[in-house]
Amino acid sequence: MNKGIITTLLSIILVSWVVAQTTEYKPLKSSGTMPADFRSMVGDKVATELDSEIKSSDKSSVKKSKAEFVLKSNYMLYNLLSSGQVLYNEEVSNYVSNVLKKVLAKSKSKDKVRVYVIKSSASNAFATNQGVLFVTTGLIAQLENEAQLAYILGHEVTHFERKHSINQYIESDRSFAQRGVYKYNKYNDYITRMSNYSKSLELEADSVAFGLLNDSPYDLKASLSVFDVLQFSYLPFDEIDFPIEMFESEHFELPKELYLDTAVAINFDDDYDDTKSSHPNIRKRKRAVKRYLKKTNYKKGSVYLQGKEKFITVQAKCRNEVLRLLLKDGYYVEAFYNSVALGNRETENKYYKKCMAKALYGIAKYKNIGSYSSMDYDESEGSISRFYYFFETLEKEDLNILALNAMIGINDQLNDPFVDRLINNLAIDAVSIHEIFYDDLKFKPYPPVQKEVDTTVIDVVEEKKDSVDDTDGGFVSKYDKLREMRDEWDDAGSPENIDDEGLGKFYLNVFVDRDQDLIRDLFDLAETADEKNKEAIKAEESITKDMSYRELRKYRDKQRKKERKKGVRLGLDKVVYIDPEFFAVDERKGVKLVNSEKKQMDFVSSIKKNAEQADLNVEVLSPKLFDEGSTEELNDIGLLNSWMGEVPSHQKRSFDNEFIPLETEFMSGLEKKYGTTKFCYSGVFTYKSKKDNIGQVLLYSLICYPLFPLGVIYALVPKHTSLYYHYMCDTKNGKIVYDDVTELNIKMNTGDINSQMYDKMIQFKTAAE
Amino acid sequence: MKKELSWVIAILLFVITFQANAQAPGYVGKRLLVDYSFATVPTFLPGVTNSTVSFATIHNAEVSWVLNRRISIAGHYTVSFPKLDFSDMDDEYFYDYYLGDNRQLSEVPTKYQFIGFDVQIYGGKRVAPVGTYFNLGFSVGHFTLLESFTLNYDYNYNYTGTYPYESVFNPRKYGVGRLRFGINNKKIIGGSVYLISGINANILVGKGTVRKDEVFNDDNGFLKLDRLWMTRKVRFDNLLHIKLGIGILFV
């Protein structure tokens, strides 16, 4: 009795704690001392690794392949580690590290490998030749338990131990050149040959991972169930019904045609064609594991060694992170679906509600200018196809108002200033794009409608709840639902689409149950903002309105000349440079990575020197300068990279009424920390190539022989192209402040860089008159 | 000459003062450049007789001031040293080009000095004072014809042989204006030191009257003096000469 009470109390405390952890979301960030992998010059690491990898007995072609691989892999690894998207010393990565320790307790490799977590919505894990394993938040978000993670880590460790990546690179070179065993095997194409080789490595990794799991205290059956995760990880976190209640109200009902009766069937086929794949298909992998299981004396092990609660907490963090990443990357329907799915489980979670509002904003804004997704509903699978169908079938103006209404409903509970900003912005779209004004809207209460709710999926959920164990944070796991559905699966194909006659305009009735004053204020604000925008455009146009074509051309030439003479004159006080780059590329030799790294250090020094001379307050966030205590700066780079990555995706779509980047709300801390809202990418890219028409030029110079020396000089001197770029954004309004690429047909030396850089800084500092 | 120099200095000082509080263009905050360059130019002597090619060196000292990100102005002093050789004609003289056929050729050693003012416009994406620029300048100066003595030979009246006669150029100085234009490049080679290179051409505007005395014996054996007055016009001075130099960025 006492035991039961204690368990119940503990469960309540646990759930409350988990909810508290996930309600107030903050992007995941690393903490503590920065590991050595993230520091030091890559050139030094390359030199050390080359010494250990290249043997004197190696053939010259193998030596060459190894040298290339070591160079490229180290720089790719560095780029990933310095992106700020890799987590260490925080809860999620510590959890994964602990799992790795358990898996490798008896292994020789335990001191050689380390694991980090990548902030990514994709489900993936991989190992590098340097002994660094990576697991994505997307993968952890999809797993069922800790033991599955253990198996995946065992699989990746095998790739490292057996040197799969470097061997694959050498094999790829050999296969491409048709050397060695490939000399007589010319019938298969290169991709098939490499696919076969890669699949053999994957099966080997599966086999060794099984052994590692067998040696560990983890339950061996995870090695089989993990393949369901791998097969269905492209599906969202759960199979759920469409949240009709979010869009309807007491007196407003949506047309039935908007709901897809039968969701697009999920493809359960695990014996798909893997001829050109890097991995064997799931059936083959499962079959192999089943064989191992048969041969093994199976004893039930632990699914969780660090506790189920810990797994739930860690997974919740990863799922929250995935939601943010989906929104950042513009996967608004997926983000909406997943936030609804998670919100169904934690109805009080404000973060999920906020994600729903953000996702609806993204869908509506993008639908207003064209399309919100590159995927049609019938290309999706499962319940999410209903969501795609709904947003696809709605007219732009209907969706604009429906999203607005739903966001207002959400923010009634959140009272969040950022969501408020999104609502105001979307209301401006309604006024400016669709010309919907407050006076058009209807507020008369309609007679209550009788609603029919499609309960198919809900029934399935209820049914499963009774039949299977809870495996997903106290809820029926997505995979259990899928397993059940798989049993009944037949290849029914996609449901038929509705006829394309349109559904009529119902958007005017959407606010029928809302507070009339609130809607009036909202539309008043939107109309005022719209008028201001139009006035600004008119003012700009009025200057050139009465000009003839010739006058207009003259005016524009004058403006251009003025800018050429005086520059852009931004009047900035402070700029933060994020990870300045220098890339030297030779057409024949590829990227000169070691040389580039040295030049990058000089480039960073130049920024500081020029800023001092230009009297511009500049801060440089360069991983090249980081030491053990620079974790916070690396986290900042991660946040800034996310935000700076989102801004151009919207800017290039030419919204009349600007799109507010959804990452903007995470920028306020950085604005305060650095005392500026201007963050800038900058770098140099130099390209050396052979000149065109050398033969012709030499021939002509021979004919006109006094010019022959000039012809020889032309032939001998390579062509150089240098690009010096700047990309600066303002966190205040999410706009690109300065975007410029200076192209020079020279090999840029320090002097040229200083000249250009100082000029840019003067332009940044000088205010317009 | 001193007067001209003071004008250039005065203009430069004015511009420097005027620009002191404006935005600060230049190279890492440095706007005053001083450089020296030289050009070794061939001086072709065309003609039927005495066809030769000789070389002369032109020295150029320049002080530039960066006005804005596209334009810098400069003051220069140019001197030819040790000399330039010019061929002459009886009544009209074009250096480098022979236009008439009934003339005598001789070399007239000449040197010149110029002082002037340039505007340098940086093209494309280049920013003053580094990179390629178009140079346009005007300068004033003078040519100095050095005194020279030449022993000439001509056929005697009955075509039985040649006889010698002497001709003497009087030393003379005459002023000319010069328009110079070209494409140059300044490249930083380290710290504040830069290399300067380019191709330039000059158009000269001006003429001078030259006295040429020719001394010879007449048919009766008397020594005679034939004094000729010639107007020298020089149009082109070292068309497309290639210059090379070094400079320092000061402040």
Side-chain angles (χ1 to χ4, degrees):
Chain A
M1 182 65 186
N2 285 344
K3 205 177 170 183
I5 293 169
I6 291 166
T7 314
T8 315
L9 277 172
L10 279 174
S11 302
I12 293 166
I13 292 166
L14 170 73
V15 170
S16 318
W17 183 74
V18 170
V19 169
Q21 290 280 305
T22 53
T23 300
E24 291 301 323
Y25 169 77
K26 280 181 185 168
L28 291 180
K29 57 180 192 176
S30 306
S31 62
T33 309
M34 188 184 280
D37 288 321
F38 292 71
R39 293 178 273 121
S40 73
M41 297 288 278
V42 189
D44 301 338
K45 290 181 184 175
V46 170
T48 315
E49 202 178 324
L50 281 175
D51 285 344
S52 65
E53 285 294 347
I54 296 180
K55 310 277 183 298
S56 54
S57 56
D58 287 339
K59 284 183 179 174
S60 61
S61 59
V62 173
K63 277 183 186 170
K64 195 185 163 200
S65 297
K66 279 185 175 178
E68 266 180 23
F69 174 83
V70 168
L71 191 69
K72 284 180 186 170
S73 63
N74 270 286
Y75 276 92
M76 282 168 72
L77 178 62
Y78 170 78
N79 283 341
L80 180 59
L81 293 172
S82 62
S83 66
Q85 306 303 332
V86 179
L87 298 165
Y88 56 84
N89 286 337
E90 49 70 60
E91 196 174 4
V92 178
S93 52
N94 287 345
Y95 178 84
V96 179
S97 294
N98 287 337
V99 176
L100 182 69
K101 275 180 200 161
K102 308 271 184 201
V103 175
L104 297 181
K106 295 175 189 171
S107 166
K108 288 182 285 182
S109 304
K110 63 182 173 190
D111 298 325
K112 291 182 191 164
V113 290
R114 51 275 183 209
V115 62
Y116 304 116
V117 174
I118 303 176
K119 292 190 270 182
S120 165
S121 58
S123 298
N124 201 5
F126 57 94
T128 69
N129 198 50
Q130 294 75 23
V132 183
L133 312 187
F134 291 101
V135 178
T136 63
T137 47
L139 179 66
I140 301 168
Q142 290 281 0
L143 289 172
E144 286 183 293
N145 52 50
E146 189 182 323
Q148 289 176 345
L149 178 62
Y151 178 79
I152 289 169
L153 291 174
H155 177 99
E156 297 307 330
V157 167
T158 311
H159 282 317
F160 162 68
E161 282 178 342
R162 307 277 168 115
K163 293 194 171 292
H164 282 173
S165 48
I166 192 165
N167 288 341
Q168 193 163 2
Y169 192 88
I170 296 165
E171 204 67 16
S172 169
D173 276 359
R174 194 179 288 156
S175 171
F176 193 75
Q178 296 196 327
R179 288 195 305 264
V181 292
Y182 300 105
K183 198 172 177 181
Y184 305 104
N185 181 10
K186 294 177 180 173
Y187 300 105
N188 289 336
D189 63 282
Y190 168 74
I191 294 171
T192 312
R193 288 198 297 266
M194 283 321 296
S195 164
N196 289 339
Y197 183 78
S198 173
K199 281 184 281 198
S200 70
L201 299 184
E202 293 302 329
L203 287 174
E204 185 185 8
D206 281 348
S207 157
V208 179
F210 184 86
L212 285 170
L213 205 67
N214 197 18
D215 292 343
S216 76
Y218 285 111
D219 187 18
L220 255 186
K221 283 196 173 168
S223 60
L224 199 59
S225 66
V226 74
F227 290 108
D228 287 339
V229 175
L230 297 182
Q231 187 181 358
F232 300 113
S233 62
Y234 68 95
L235 293 172
F237 299 145
D238 202 353
E239 287 294 295
I240 56 161
D241 193 20
F242 190 81
I244 304 164
E245 67 286 349
M246 192 182 286
F247 300 99
E248 293 187 337
S249 61
E250 192 183 356
H251 298 98
F252 174 73
E253 188 184 41
L254 284 165
K256 290 282 174 287
E257 290 89 338
L258 290 170
Y259 304 113
L260 192 62
D261 292 336
T262 315
V264 177
I266 294 166
N267 182 9
F268 290 104
D269 182 13
D270 59 1
D271 196 20
Y272 48 85
D273 179 20
D274 59 2
T275 320
K276 296 189 190 298
S277 306
S278 60
H279 290 62
N281 68 33
I282 296 291
R283 184 171 292 183
K284 285 176 191 162
R285 295 178 77 179
K286 269 180 160 178
R287 199 185 293 150
V289 172
K290 278 176 187 168
R291 274 203 308 274
Y292 307 144
L293 271 170
K294 268 186 190 172
K295 288 178 192 168
T296 313
N297 184 19
Y298 172 71
K299 282 178 193 171
K300 190 170 171 58
S302 304
V303 176
Y304 300 101
L305 289 178
Q306 297 179 68
K308 186 177 177 181
E309 299 75 21
K310 185 75 178 169
F311 177 78
I312 293 169
T313 310
V314 166
Q315 188 173 58
K317 285 195 165 204
C318 289
R319 286 179 170 178
N320 290 350
E321 194 66 18
V322 167
L323 284 185
R324 180 177 78 84
L325 294 167
L326 287 171
L327 288 167
K328 174 192 81 96
D329 296 332
Y331 296 111
Y332 302 118
V333 181
E334 287 87 337
F336 180 69
Y337 183 98
N338 280 320
S339 50
V340 171
L342 296 173
N344 285 349
R345 297 173 179 194
E346 286 177 41
T347 49
E348 296 305 312
N349 190 309
K350 289 183 177 177
Y351 174 64
Y352 299 145
K353 290 187 196 309
K354 197 170 182 177
C355 287
M356 288 176 213
K358 283 180 171 182
L360 285 171
Y361 171 79
I363 295 167
K365 286 286 284 186
Y366 269 87
K367 180 116 184 176
N368 279 340
I369 60 155
S371 174
Y372 59 87
S373 168
S374 57
M375 188 157 75
D376 290 337
Y377 87 94
D378 52 2
E379 291 167 316
S380 61
E381 290 177 27
S383 295
I384 198 170
S385 60
R386 286 198 167 101
F387 288 62
Y388 274 110
Y389 186 82
F390 178 79
F391 295 122
E392 206 173 298
T393 314
L394 276 168
E395 294 294 331
K396 286 177 187 175
E397 52 270 43
D398 293 331
L399 180 56
N400 196 140
I401 295 295
L402 278 175
L404 198 55
N405 185 43
M407 287 164 73
I408 291 168
I410 290 168
N411 211 29
D412 280 349
Q413 300 165 52
L414 297 180
N415 205 15
D416 184 284
F418 187 72
V419 177
D420 211 33
R421 201 174 146 195
L422 300 182
I423 289 170
N424 288 333
N425 185 278
L426 196 57
I428 296 172
D429 269 20
V431 173
S432 65
I433 299 174
H434 306 303
E435 296 182 344
I436 303 168
F437 301 99
Y438 171 75
D439 295 340
D440 304 330
L441 304 172
K442 292 175 184 171
F443 290 93
K444 280 180 187 173
Y446 285 16
V449 289
Q450 293 294 318
K451 293 181 221 166
E452 290 175 21
V453 180
D454 179 3
T455 55
T456 331
V457 175
I458 294 167
D459 289 345
V460 172
V461 174
E462 295 303 322
E463 194 185 314
K464 298 301 165 295
K465 266 191 176 177
D466 299 336
S467 63
V468 294
D469 294 334
D470 289 352
T471 54
D472 191 2
F475 295 89
V476 180
S477 150
K478 153 189 152 184
Y479 301 104
D480 284 329
K481 289 178 194 171
L482 291 172
R483 282 169 193 132
E484 192 73 22
M485 288 160 79
R486 179 166 53 196
D487 295 342
E488 296 162 9
W489 176 54
D490 62 343
D491 200 359
S494 303
E496 299 231 337
N497 199 351
I498 61 155
D499 53 22
D500 199 21
E501 288 175 5
L503 302 164
K505 308 289 178 197
F506 55 79
Y507 58 85
L508 301 176
N509 304 327
V510 170
F511 297 115
V512 68
D513 291 315
R514 288 265 171 238
D515 178 355
Q516 207 165 331
D517 293 337
L518 189 141
I519 302 297
R520 187 192 298 119
D521 291 347
L522 178 66
F523 273 77
D524 282 352
L525 268 176
E527 283 166 35
T528 314
D530 181 45
E531 272 166 28
K532 268 187 190 170
N533 285 346
K534 282 177 182 159
E535 272 169 24
I537 295 166
K538 264 187 192 170
E540 208 174 294
E541 284 174 354
S542 66
I543 303 169
T544 54
K545 199 175 70 180
D546 299 324
M547 285 183 184
S548 66
Y549 175 71
R550 199 173 168 178
E551 283 170 336
L552 189 68
R553 209 175 61 180
K554 234 178 171 181
Y555 171 77
R556 284 183 182 151
D557 282 349
K558 204 176 165 186
Q559 295 289 100
R560 265 198 295 271
K561 271 182 193 165
K562 198 176 168 187
E563 194 178 305
R564 268 174 60 81
K565 192 177 167 189
K566 298 195 170 178
V568 288
R569 294 178 295 168
L570 298 176
L572 309 180
D573 293 325
K574 186 174 181 183
V575 180
V576 175
Y577 279 76
I578 311 160
D579 194 9
E581 290 180 316
F582 192 102
F583 269 109
V585 179
D586 189 322
E587 188 183 44
R588 287 164 298 178
K589 297 174 187 170
V591 184
K592 291 150 85 182
L593 293 166
V594 178
N595 188 30
S596 297
E597 190 175 38
K598 286 174 194 158
K599 295 262 185 183
Q600 193 165 330
M601 298 295 282
D602 296 341
F603 187 61
V604 171
S605 309
S606 292
I607 291 175
K608 291 181 173 176
K609 184 181 162 192
N610 280 287
E612 202 179 308
Q613 288 296 330
D615 197 24
L616 178 71
N617 195 350
V618 159
E619 199 151 338
V620 183
L621 286 174
S622 172
K624 296 277 176 209
L625 306 176
F626 286 172
D627 56 22
E628 288 180 345
S630 303
T631 296
E632 275 308 311
E633 284 80 359
L634 189 61
N635 286 328
D636 295 345
I637 286 184
L639 272 179
L640 286 164
N641 279 339
S642 291
W643 179 74
M644 298 276 276
E646 191 195 352
V647 172
S649 62
H650 307 309
Q651 293 268 335
K652 71 182 178 191
R653 299 298 298 268
S654 320
F655 285 93
D656 288 338
N657 170 33
E658 62 179 13
F659 188 105
I660 299 168
L662 302 177
E663 288 282 294
T664 303
E665 70 162 320
F666 305 117
M667 292 296 111
S668 55
L670 295 182
E671 287 169 10
K672 277 179 203 160
K673 183 175 176 182
Y674 293 103
T676 182
T677 59
K678 311 292 185 298
F679 296 88
C680 181
Y681 284 140
S682 178
V684 171
F685 175 85
T686 68
Y687 188 75
K688 182 181 170 186
S689 58
K690 216 168 85 175
K691 279 181 184 152
D692 301 328
N693 308 324
I694 288 179
Q696 278 181 26
V697 172
L698 280 175
L699 185 69
Y700 292 143
S701 65
L702 264 174
I703 295 166
C704 187
Y705 60 88
L707 296 176
F708 185 67
L710 292 176
V712 173
I713 291 170
Y714 178 86
L716 291 178
V717 178
K719 184 182 169 186
H720 284 283
T721 309
S722 299
L723 303 174
Y724 178 42
Y725 68 85
H726 277 85
Y727 172 71
M728 191 194 295
C729 297
D730 190 342
T731 51
K732 202 173 168 186
N733 53 21
K735 283 186 177 173
I736 299 169
V737 182
Y738 186 66
D739 184 10
D740 177 72
V741 180
T742 304
E743 184 178 345
L744 298 166
N745 291 324
I746 55 164
K747 181 185 178 184
M748 273 181 109
N749 66 8
T750 312
D752 297 312
I753 290 170
N754 280 337
S755 167
Q756 294 288 332
M757 190 182 282
Y758 179 77
D759 171 59
K760 298 289 177 204
M761 287 182 176
I762 289 294
Q763 291 186 56
F764 295 164
K765 179 152 177 65
T766 312
E769 286 150 11
Chain B
M1 188 67 193
K2 279 178 188 171
K3 200 178 169 186
E4 291 146 358
L5 187 62
S6 3
W7 267 107
V8 172
I9 292 167
I11 291 167
L12 273 176
L13 283 174
F14 171 76
V15 173
I16 290 167
T17 316
F18 182 72
Q19 286 283 317
N21 295 319
Q23 66 175 57
Y27 176 80
V28 198
K30 291 180 177 174
R31 305 168 71 180
L32 184 68
L33 296 83
V34 178
D35 57 63
Y36 157 77
S37 61
F38 70 95
T40 300
V41 291
T43 56
F44 295 100
L45 288 176
V48 183
T49 61
N50 297 343
S51 179
T52 56
V53 178
S54 62
F55 288 88
T57 309
I58 299 167
H59 303 265
N60 182 69
E62 199 170 272
V63 179
S64 325
W65 178 255
V66 179
L67 269 187
N68 60 40
R69 56 197 299 267
R70 292 288 164 209
I71 297 170
S72 63
I73 52 166
H76 69 260
Y77 170 69
T78 310
V79 59
S80 73
F81 184 78
K83 63 178 184 179
L84 285 170
D85 289 336
F86 286 87
S87 58
D88 75 296
M89 290 198 317
D90 283 355
D91 52 358
E92 190 166 75
Y93 188 92
F94 275 69
Y95 162 67
D96 272 358
Y97 297 100
Y98 163 60
L99 297 179
D101 58 357
N102 184 21
R103 84 283 175 267
Q104 293 176 332
L105 286 167
S106 63
E107 290 179 21
V108 184
T110 310
K111 70 174 185 179
Y112 66 55
Q113 292 183 80
F114 280 101
I115 190 155
F117 176 81
D118 293 82
V119 177
Q120 300 165 345
I121 302 160
Y122 287 76
K125 301 266 184 178
R126 306 314 299 264
V127 181
V130 177
T132 307
Y133 60 93
F134 175 71
N135 188 88
L136 185 65
F138 183 76
S139 46
V140 289
H142 56 74
F143 275 80
T144 307
L145 272 65
L146 304 178
E147 185 176 5
S148 66
F149 171 84
T150 316
L151 185 65
N152 298 291
Y153 293 91
D154 203 352
Y155 287 101
N156 58 18
Y157 69 101
N158 54 7
Y159 301 105
T160 53
T162 56
Y163 69 94
Y165 70 90
E166 297 157 356
S167 65
V168 177
F169 272 90
N170 64 318
R172 190 167 178 84
K173 199 182 266 190
Y174 60 94
V176 287
R178 184 176 75 161
L179 192 66
R180 93 169 175 178
F181 54 93
I183 292 178
N184 299 287
N185 182 284
K186 285 182 184 137
K187 190 167 185 69
I188 304 286
I189 53 169
S192 296
V193 181
Y194 62 88
L195 272 183
I196 183 163
S197 57
I199 299 174
N200 292 275
N202 300 319
I203 297 174
L204 298 173
V205 182
K207 60 185 178 179
T209 307
V210 185
R211 193 187 74 199
K212 182 184 178 188
D213 296 336
E214 287 182 359
V215 183
F216 59 94
N217 291 310
D218 65 6
D219 292 346
N220 301 320
F222 293 106
L223 191 67
K224 280 198 142 186
L225 175 71
D226 190 356
R227 177 162 286 178
L228 300 171
W229 295 91
M230 298 184 301
T231 302
R232 283 175 58 109
K233 287 179 186 170
V234 187
R235 295 280 181 258
F236 289 99
D237 154 37
N238 304 314
L239 189 69
L240 299 180
H241 67 254
I242 295 166
K243 76 171 183 182
L244 194 67
I246 193 159
I248 297 172
L249 283 142
F250 269 101
V251 283

